[in-house]
Amino acid sequence: MTPFRFSIGGLVFSGVAIAAALTSVDAFAPASSIVRPASSSSTLLYNRQARRQNKKKKVRSAPSFVVDEEEDDAPSNSSTTKNSKSSEPILLGGGEIGFSSEVPESKIPVAKATSANTPPKASKLDQELEGKRIEEDGIVGESVTSAASVSDMPVASGQQQPDVSTVITDPETGIARIQQGKYVMDKVTGKAVVLSSLGPEYRLAQMFPGVPPDTRQKHRFDWSTVTVPEMVQRLRDACTVPLKNSQTGEEWLGIPPHPQISNPAVDFVLANRDYLGHRMKKTLGRLKLRAQSQFQKEEALQYRTLWKHFLLLEDHISAPFRQILLNAEAKIGPNFGNLDVKSYCGGELYERTASYLVLKSMVAHWEKKYADAQKLESIPDDDSYFLQQLYTGDPKRYLPDPPIIFRLDEVSRIVVMAQKMCQSFVETPELFDDLPPEVRFVESALGIKGGTALRQFMLEEFCPRNNVDSVSLREGLRRLYQQMFNMQIDPYGEITMTLWNLCVASAVGTDEARDPYEEYIGNVRGTKFETNPGFFQTYTFDHDKNSLVRFLDSAKRIEKGTAGSAEDIQRQVSGEVSQLLGFNFGGKPDNVEPAKETKRYVVPEDRAIGRPHMMGWLELLGEDEELMGGAKNEKEKEEKFEADEWVEVEK
C-alpha cells in the first residue's frame, strides 16, 4: 500500500483545471457552458437616478421621504404579509428602498464620552464617513466595511498589526483576546494565504475554484435522487486515504490527522461545492450529537472526525476568496464617499469582482441598519415595549460609548453614499460589464419583484443575452453563496441571505429545488429518533446553586399591585441576590432557618418541558471531546465559581 502524499500548501489545481479557468474565467464548473459575449452591453436593469427624474413622486408619512409612484423595483417584503409566496425572496442591497439623506432629528440621544478627560476627536459619524474605524478604548470600532467587535483586541498606538490573527493576553484584564491580522490564515498551513503568482487568471481560479470535467463527472451528486446518508458516506470515502506511521511502518486507511488534507477530498468538495457547504456542516453536527445522545460513542467519534475535517476543507477552500475580499475592503474603506470608483476599484477581473461584492455587501448591510433604525424610531418609549427594543438592531448600541452608528439620521447619510458608490461602479462599463455572469445576475435580480418574474427574466432575457444556460447560472449562484457564507456575518450576512433567497427562487420548478437536508436540519415536527433523522435528545442539568440559571429559575415576577409590603419585596429580592452571590446584604436575616440537606435540583416544568434530567451524554466522549475539553480526573469535573470563595464581612 502506497501512502498518500498530503497537500498542505495552497489549493493544488491540475493543468486541466487551470486550462478550463483560462478558457472560461467564470471559474465554476461546468465552465465550458458559459461563453463571454463579444459586446460589452450593459446588464444594468434600471437607473435609479434617471427614473426618479422622470417619474412623479409622492410623500409618505415623513415629509422628507420621497418614494417612487411605482415601486416595482423595491425589495420584496412579501414574506411579512399573509399572501406571501415561498418563492418570493426577501432581498437587501438593491438600493431601491426610498432612502433619503434628509431625515428628521433622531429621538435617540447621541452617545456621550465616558470620561471628561478624553481628548477631543472627530465624531463617530465623521470617522465612518472618512472610511476609518470608530476609535474606542479597548474595543475594535465599526467602519463602513467592517464590523465592530468588543471581544477582539485593538492594535495599540505604535504597535504593528500581526500578519495573521493571534491570541494575546490583555495586559489590563489578563484575559486572552484575539487580535485580527492583516491577512487571512490558511488553517492547513497555519500561515497567511498566498495568492498565485502565475497571473490574474489563476487568482480568479483560486477565488472561484473548480475541477476538471472528468473529476467532476466522477464525484458529482445526482441531486434528483441523492440522499443525506449517501452524501455523508461518499464524503467519508473521499476523505479516507492510505496512512502510514513513519516510525512503526504501520499502514491503514483513515482521515488524515488535523490539520492535514488530501487532494481527493479537495476534489470531491469542489465537484459538489454548491451542494455541500454550510448545510452539510449542520447535518454532520446534528448526526454527531444524535449518535452521542444515543450513547453510541464510536459512531459519535467518527462523525466528529469527519465533521472537523470537513470544516477544515471549507476553511481551506474559501481562504483565498476571503483574502481577496479583505484586499478589496482595504481599498474601498478609506475611499468611502469618493464616487470616482474607477480610481480605486479598477484592476484585474478578480479584483473588480471582489470590489463589487464588498460594495454590494456594504449597501445591504447599511440598508438593514437603516431599517432597524427606522423601527427603533417607531417603537414607543414605554416599558411594555422594552423587549421589542432589545431585539431590534445591533445590541452593541447599549454599550456606554457604542462603537457603532445606529441613529436614523446618521445611518441615512452612510446608506445613501454607499448606494451611490455601488451605483457608480455598476454604471462604469469597464468595471462591471465583464464580471462573471452569476455576479452580474445578482445586480439585475435585485430590481425584480416576485419569484415568477425573476425566473422569467432569467430564462427569457438574461441567459440568452449573456450566452449562458440557466443550469450553469444557478450553479454559479449557489457556489457564490457558499463562498460568501464563509465570510463573517457582519457585514456580509445580509447579502449572503439575499443570495440564498435568489438561489431558492430561481430553482423553483426544477430538480434543484429538492432539498434532502431539510428533514435533518429543518424538521420541527419530528421530536423522536424514529420520526426525525436529525433529532438528538436534549436534557436539563443540575446547575450550581450560585449559577445564574438557578437564580432565574427561582426568581418570582413582582407584578405591580401584587407585590405586598415593602418587607416582602425586600425579603424576596435579598433572598434571590443571596442565592446568586452567595452572601446576604444588609446584615443577617431575622429568622435564620436551619441548614437543610442538599436535595436534587428540580428544574421548573416550564423550562424542562418534559425533557429528561442529567442524561450525561455530553460527557460521553470525555477527554476525546476536543471541542469541550473533557475533565482529566474526578476533581476537575466539579464546576467551581469565584463566589464559592467569598465570605461575608462582619461589621
Side-chain angles (χ1 to χ4, degrees):
M1 182 182 296
T2 303
F4 193 86
R5 178 179 61 83
F6 298 122
S7 169
I8 58 173
L11 285 173
V12 179
F13 296 96
S14 68
V16 179
I18 291 297
L22 291 174
T23 55
S24 178
V25 292
D26 299 288
F28 64 85
S32 58
S33 62
I34 294 183
V35 181
R36 293 285 180 196
S39 63
S40 59
S41 59
S42 173
T43 58
L44 183 61
L45 200 62
Y46 51 83
N47 183 321
R48 181 185 180 202
Q49 184 177 7
R51 188 172 61 255
R52 289 198 171 194
Q53 291 175 350
N54 297 329
K55 284 186 177 181
K56 294 182 180 180
K57 298 173 178 146
K58 65 180 181 180
V59 179
R60 287 190 174 178
S61 56
S64 59
F65 282 77
V66 181
V67 185
D68 291 341
E69 184 77 26
E70 299 176 12
E71 297 181 331
D72 58 316
D73 53 352
S76 173
N77 293 324
S78 58
S79 64
T80 60
T81 64
K82 296 182 179 180
N83 298 325
S84 62
K85 298 181 180 179
S86 59
S87 61
E88 296 184 357
I90 301 174
L91 306 179
L92 282 171
E96 288 290 302
I97 302 182
F99 299 130
S100 173
S101 58
E102 300 175 358
V103 297
E105 185 69 20
S106 173
K107 70 178 183 181
I108 301 175
V110 179
K112 303 297 183 182
T114 56
S115 173
N117 298 325
T118 303
K121 57 184 178 182
S123 68
K124 294 184 174 76
L125 178 61
D126 290 339
Q127 292 177 56
E128 291 224 28
L129 290 175
E130 292 174 4
K132 301 177 181 178
R133 280 190 179 273
I134 294 177
E135 297 179 8
E136 198 62 50
D137 293 338
I139 297 177
V140 177
E142 174 189 63
S143 74
V144 290
T145 58
S146 304
S149 174
V150 296
S151 59
D152 288 353
M153 183 72 177
V155 178
S157 178
Q159 180 185 9
Q160 290 188 350
Q161 188 176 7
D163 287 342
V164 296
S165 297
T166 308
V167 178
I168 63 174
T169 301
D170 190 334
E172 296 184 1
T173 64
I175 299 175
R177 302 175 68 182
I178 296 177
Q179 193 166 70
Q180 295 294 338
K182 294 181 290 186
Y183 309 106
V184 174
M185 183 178 70
D186 186 343
K187 292 186 178 180
V188 173
T189 64
K191 300 178 181 179
V193 170
V194 178
L195 299 179
S196 175
S197 60
L198 298 178
E201 296 88 353
Y202 287 76
R203 293 192 174 192
L204 184 66
Q206 284 182 292
M207 189 179 184
F208 298 107
V211 291
D214 56 338
T215 304
R216 173 188 169 87
Q217 185 176 4
K218 175 183 177 182
H219 294 302
R220 187 73 174 167
F221 294 141
D222 180 359
W223 198 245
S224 62
T225 60
V226 72
T227 62
V228 167
E230 180 185 350
M231 288 190 286
V232 171
Q233 185 58 49
R234 289 181 61 180
L235 175 62
R236 179 181 282 113
D237 292 342
C239 296
T240 303
V241 294
L243 304 174
K244 182 177 181 179
N245 189 317
S246 59
Q247 296 180 348
T248 64
E250 179 186 3
E251 298 182 359
W252 72 97
L253 291 175
I255 294 177
H258 189 83
Q260 293 177 316
I261 60 174
S262 62
N263 290 338
V266 172
D267 288 343
F268 180 84
V269 173
L270 288 179
N272 297 285
R273 186 83 169 103
D274 53 320
Y275 290 145
L276 294 173
H278 81 281
R279 295 175 79 77
M280 177 56 78
K281 293 179 189 177
K282 292 182 179 179
T283 300
L284 291 175
R286 293 188 71 93
L287 291 175
K288 179 256 185 187
L289 294 174
R290 176 184 174 89
Q292 201 169 337
S293 66
Q294 293 177 308
F295 294 92
Q296 298 174 358
K297 182 176 180 179
E298 292 302 320
E299 184 177 353
L301 287 172
Q302 291 175 7
Y303 274 124
R304 193 195 60 192
T305 301
L306 181 61
W307 183 26
K308 185 176 180 180
H309 194 67
F310 182 65
L311 292 175
L312 178 65
L313 287 165
E314 278 283 306
D315 285 335
H316 177 64
I317 290 171
S318 64
F321 180 88
R322 288 180 279 135
Q323 180 60 59
I324 293 172
L325 260 65
L326 184 64
N327 295 343
E329 286 182 17
K331 294 187 298 183
I332 293 173
N335 285 284
F336 186 77
N338 183 358
L339 296 182
D340 183 16
V341 292
K342 188 177 178 181
S343 64
Y344 56 91
C345 287
E348 301 293 343
L349 178 58
Y350 76 93
E351 295 175 306
R352 289 183 282 110
T353 301
S355 294
Y356 171 78
L357 292 175
V358 170
L359 287 169
K360 207 64 180 174
S361 300
M362 180 173 64
V363 171
H365 176 65
W366 285 97
E367 285 183 358
K368 176 61 166 62
K369 295 192 69 166
Y370 181 90
D372 290 338
Q374 269 191 320
K375 188 173 181 180
L376 282 173
E377 294 289 336
S378 65
I379 298 175
D381 290 327
D382 188 274
D383 291 344
S384 59
Y385 293 91
F386 172 71
L387 287 179
Q388 187 177 356
Q389 292 175 338
L390 192 64
Y391 60 68
T392 300
D394 192 335
K396 287 190 284 291
R397 71 179 184 273
Y398 288 106
L399 292 173
D401 199 5
I404 61 172
I405 295 295
F406 60 92
R407 300 171 73 247
L408 180 61
D409 51 348
E410 297 177 338
V411 172
S412 175
R413 293 181 60 183
I414 296 178
V415 74
V416 168
M417 182 52 67
Q419 290 173 332
K420 290 180 178 179
M421 292 172 65
C422 188
Q423 180 184 355
S424 179
F425 183 97
V426 171
E427 293 177 348
T428 306
E430 52 267 43
L431 294 179
F432 182 79
D433 284 1
D434 66 338
L435 297 188
E438 66 272 25
V439 176
R440 286 183 283 115
F441 178 75
V442 172
E443 181 64 32
S444 300
L446 291 180
I448 301 175
K449 185 176 181 180
T452 301
L454 173 69
R455 293 185 291 276
Q456 184 177 4
F457 165 76
M458 176 182 65
L459 296 174
E460 299 179 3
E461 295 185 42
F462 187 86
C463 288
R465 185 170 67 234
N466 292 276
N467 196 23
V468 55
D469 64 271
S470 59
V471 175
S472 296
L473 179 62
R474 289 194 297 268
E475 181 178 338
L477 272 178
R478 295 194 301 270
R479 288 176 178 267
L480 175 61
Y481 164 73
Q482 298 294 0
Q483 290 287 63
M484 291 295 294
F485 194 88
N486 285 283
M487 299 297 295
Q488 60 268 30
I489 294 178
D490 191 355
Y492 292 96
E494 288 80 17
I495 195 64
T496 301
M497 288 309 302
T498 291
L499 286 172
W500 171 251
N501 288 326
L502 288 177
C503 291
V504 172
S506 61
V508 171
T510 69
D511 290 339
E512 299 156 20
R514 176 179 177 267
D515 188 2
Y517 291 114
E518 191 64 25
E519 61 177 338
Y520 285 80
I521 62 177
N523 190 340
V524 296
R525 297 179 180 177
T527 57
K528 297 181 179 179
F529 289 107
E530 297 78 14
T531 59
N532 186 343
F535 174 79
F536 57 91
Q537 180 63 63
T538 59
Y539 61 94
T540 56
F541 293 85
D542 270 337
H543 293 282
D544 187 275
K545 67 176 182 178
N546 293 324
S547 69
L548 182 61
V549 176
R550 288 278 289 269
F551 169 68
L552 294 176
D553 281 345
S554 61
K556 301 179 179 64
R557 196 185 203 104
I558 302 177
E559 300 289 349
K560 184 177 180 180
T562 63
S565 65
E567 291 78 7
D568 292 337
I569 298 176
Q570 180 181 6
R571 189 180 302 112
Q572 177 176 326
V573 174
S574 62
E576 293 166 354
V577 173
S578 173
Q579 182 187 41
L580 178 62
L581 301 180
F583 58 85
N584 295 320
F585 284 93
K588 296 181 180 180
D590 297 333
N591 300 322
V592 180
E593 298 182 1
K596 298 181 180 179
E597 182 181 355
T598 303
K599 296 182 180 179
R600 184 178 180 87
Y601 177 54
V602 178
V603 180
E605 183 57 35
D606 59 347
R607 190 167 65 80
I609 54 175
R611 294 179 296 166
H613 187 66
M614 291 298 293
M615 290 182 64
W617 60 258
L618 278 175
E619 291 78 31
L620 177 66
L621 303 185
E623 294 183 14
D624 297 322
E625 184 60 280
E626 299 175 8
L627 297 179
M628 296 180 61
K632 296 181 180 179
N633 51 57
E634 292 296 327
K635 293 182 179 180
E636 292 185 4
K637 291 184 179 180
E638 183 179 356
E639 189 175 16
K640 293 184 178 180
F641 294 85
E642 183 183 357
D644 295 334
E645 308 297 328
W646 292 355
V647 294
E648 185 175 355
V649 178
E650 298 290 345
K651 294 184 179 179

